[in-house]
Amino acid sequence: MSSNRFLSLVNGIWEQLTAINTSAGAGDADKIIATDSSGKIDSSFMPVGIGPDTVTIQASENLAAGDFINIHNDTGPRVRKADATNTRPASGFVLASVTSGQNATVYLSGRNTGLTSLTPGTRYYLSDSAAGGATATAPADSGEIVQYLGTADSATSLVFEDNGYIAIA
């Protein structure tokens, strides 16, 4: 919770109140908003359709920040690292590390800012050598998939949109 405090006149009495930096919904109506540690307003304050397109799904393996993930079924939806070598196309990505069995916030589209060593303007594909990773060289071996992930807009950011994949015969 924020340490930002302010005075408010409540029923004729001055009270010191604390600003909130996340919203739990209607119970937080009429409260003052504080920015988070990054200086931004948390997406929980935004109406549906405004903000990142995310889902929360349990991880079936350890995931690192920036990993491209594959949504699969294992007695319910689960996420694992996407991999071009075993037909696990990227369904989205994670921006925070997650331990197997824990819930992951999966971004279904948008800017993956958890990456490193990218070349701006370069097209990237799902990696066939590092599960969860991206490569500037499209896979070409039989049995692999080619999935365009997006174009790097900086050394640490790639704009992802799931446009499907092609299986190599």
Side-chain angles (χ1 to χ4, degrees):
M1 171 130 337
S2 170
S3 61
N4 296 324
R5 300 189 192 291
F6 61 96
L7 292 177
S8 179
L9 189 59
V10 179
N11 296 323
I13 300 171
W14 286 102
E15 291 185 23
Q16 185 179 28
L17 302 177
T18 303
I20 60 173
N21 55 17
T22 60
S23 174
D28 288 329
D30 299 324
K31 293 184 179 175
I32 297 291
I33 298 172
T35 56
D36 63 18
S37 60
S38 68
K40 298 181 180 178
I41 295 175
D42 188 81
S43 63
S44 64
F45 290 107
M46 302 301 166
V48 174
I50 304 296
D53 187 10
T54 63
V55 292
T56 302
I57 303 176
Q58 185 180 19
S60 59
E61 66 178 317
N62 293 340
L63 304 172
D67 277 347
F68 288 95
I69 59 84
N70 169 260
I71 299 173
H72 67 105
N73 184 32
D74 182 11
T75 64
R78 302 285 185 270
V79 292
R80 61 189 173 195
K81 293 179 181 183
D83 190 339
T85 62
N86 58 13
T87 316
R88 294 181 180 176
S91 308
F93 58 91
V94 294
L95 291 177
S97 297
V98 178
T99 304
S100 181
Q102 300 300 309
N103 283 335
T105 299
V106 175
Y107 292 79
L108 301 174
S109 64
R111 186 168 275 108
N112 184 344
T113 57
L115 303 170
T116 60
S117 304
L118 302 177
T119 302
T122 300
R123 294 171 58 91
Y124 284 88
Y125 301 87
L126 181 61
S127 178
D128 58 350
S129 62
T135 179
T137 306
D141 293 335
S142 178
E144 295 180 338
I145 62 173
V146 176
Q147 183 180 14
Y148 169 68
L149 298 175
T151 300
D153 62 348
S154 77
T156 59
S157 175
L158 180 147
V159 181
F160 171 77
E161 185 174 337
D162 183 5
N163 289 312
Y165 63 94
I166 297 171
I168 302 171

